[in-house]
Amino acid sequence: MRAVQQMIKPWRHVFKLDPDRELGDGELEALCLSGTDAIMVGGSSGVTYENTVDLMSRIRRYALPVALEVSDLEAAVPGFDLYMIPMVLNTPDPTWIVGHHRRAIERYGYLIPWDMLLTEGYIVLNDNSTVARLTGADTDLQAEEAAAYAQVADKLMSLPVVYLEYSGRFGEVETVRTVREAVEHSQLFYGGGITSEAEAVQMAALCDTVVVGNIIYQDLEQALLTVQAVKNTQQMHFE
Ligand code: 1GP
């Protein structure tokens, strides 16, 4: 297994921070010392080189791993522990599957630290989210259709990560469960709409890694409570 895959394997809980949103030093400290396994830096709009460098250097005061989820070429900042590269599987627009990626390699190929990259097979499931609007994702999927996309990532493309992205809305447990049953090798990430311990527990039972974003900026106390909730939850096993 590649070193970057080994790095993310133990991640159960991750906070995702948006460089385009305000976060005080006290809040950042609470997040970084919360016991979460890692910080992902990323967002679907307003991410620039400057705000990404700024956030990275503030997180760097703490000992936990920090990953950049690259959504904009202009904001590909050096100095992260790893780089997560989304490929949106359920879009009819190849720009979001391989197009931006091809352009990035053409322009910056010689600078790319390949051994620090991990590809994420994204399945975007909330139609009312920036990422869905941006990528034109076909979010209207039955559980079996989402699971088939997950198997494209897992079995055909051998991607290290399948990411169920409900950004801004809590997902359908039945869909997540059906995807869980279908994914054998990829690490299954869930993100979207977690606002309480109970919601965190539900997704932690089904997924390898739970990503908590938005609630950080609305109710930090609730966000912090999700860490132990996830860590104390055993994953269900499906044979
Ligand atoms: C967003 O999956 C993450 O990319 C987390 O979603 O912001 O809704 O928590 P929320």
Side-chain angles (χ1 to χ4, degrees), residues 5-237:
Q5 263 173 279
Q6 256 156 13
M7 189 191 299
I8 67 161
K9 205 165 178 4
W11 294 2
R12 281 288 278 151
H13 182 282
V14 173
F15 280 126
K16 193 186 276 194
L17 300 184
D18 184 341
D20 194 33
R21 297 176 85 167
E22 295 279 328
L23 195 63
D25 287 340
E27 280 117 34
L28 187 64
E29 177 167 273
L31 293 164
C32 291
L33 301 180
S34 64
T36 189
D37 295 303
I39 304 281
M40 283 171 82
V41 171
S44 300
S45 65
V47 179
T48 65
Y49 195 91
E50 286 69 30
N51 60 24
T52 304
V53 170
D54 181 59
L55 183 57
M56 181 192 71
S57 51
R58 292 173 65 211
I59 301 166
R60 273 277 175 246
R61 288 182 219 147
Y62 304 94
L64 76 180
V66 51
L68 178 64
E69 191 167 55
V70 182
S71 58
D72 189 331
L73 250 191
E74 307 308 319
V77 170
F80 283 86
D81 294 309
L82 75 156
Y83 295 86
M84 304 185 76
I85 313 295
M87 278 184 172
V88 178
L89 302 176
N90 58 324
T91 171
D93 181 356
T95 310
W96 300 102
I97 308 172
V98 289
H100 287 300
H101 315 64
R102 192 211 79 196
R103 262 191 299 282
I105 292 167
E106 278 179 355
R107 279 173 64 184
Y108 301 111
Y110 63 102
L111 288 172
I112 296 176
W114 293 105
D115 53 353
M116 297 172 80
L117 260 53
L118 266 184
T119 313
E120 308 169 286
Y122 250 68
I123 306 169
V124 175
L125 291 163
N126 176 10
D127 59 333
N128 190 20
S129 63
T130 309
V131 61
R133 282 188 289 272
L134 196 65
T135 61
D138 172 18
T139 55
D140 188 21
L141 297 180
Q142 301 299 313
E144 289 70 25
E145 294 170 316
Y149 273 120
Q151 288 177 88
V152 169
D154 180 33
K155 303 204 168 73
L156 296 184
M157 300 168 88
S158 301
L159 300 186
V161 171
V162 170
Y163 194 127
L164 283 179
E165 174 62 293
Y166 280 91
S167 180
R169 174 163 75 76
F170 192 64
E172 286 102 23
V173 173
E174 215 27 63
T175 299
V176 178
R177 180 191 295 270
T178 307
V179 169
R180 164 77 284 168
E181 287 173 17
V183 171
E184 271 185 87
H185 307 291
S186 309
Q187 188 161 335
L188 182 59
F189 278 53
Y190 171 86
I194 291 180
T195 57
S196 67
E197 290 171 276
E199 288 167 346
V201 166
Q202 265 185 298
M203 291 310 177
L206 296 170
C207 300
D208 299 308
T209 306
V210 173
V211 181
V212 174
N214 227 7
I215 188 70
I216 295 165
Y217 301 94
Q218 291 161 353
D219 187 341
L220 184 70
E221 288 310 313
Q222 282 301 322
L224 294 170
L225 288 173
T226 63
V227 178
Q228 285 316 314
V230 168
K231 297 213 150 202
N232 293 335
T233 303
Q234 292 264 329
Q235 257 180 282
M236 286 159 70
H237 289 286

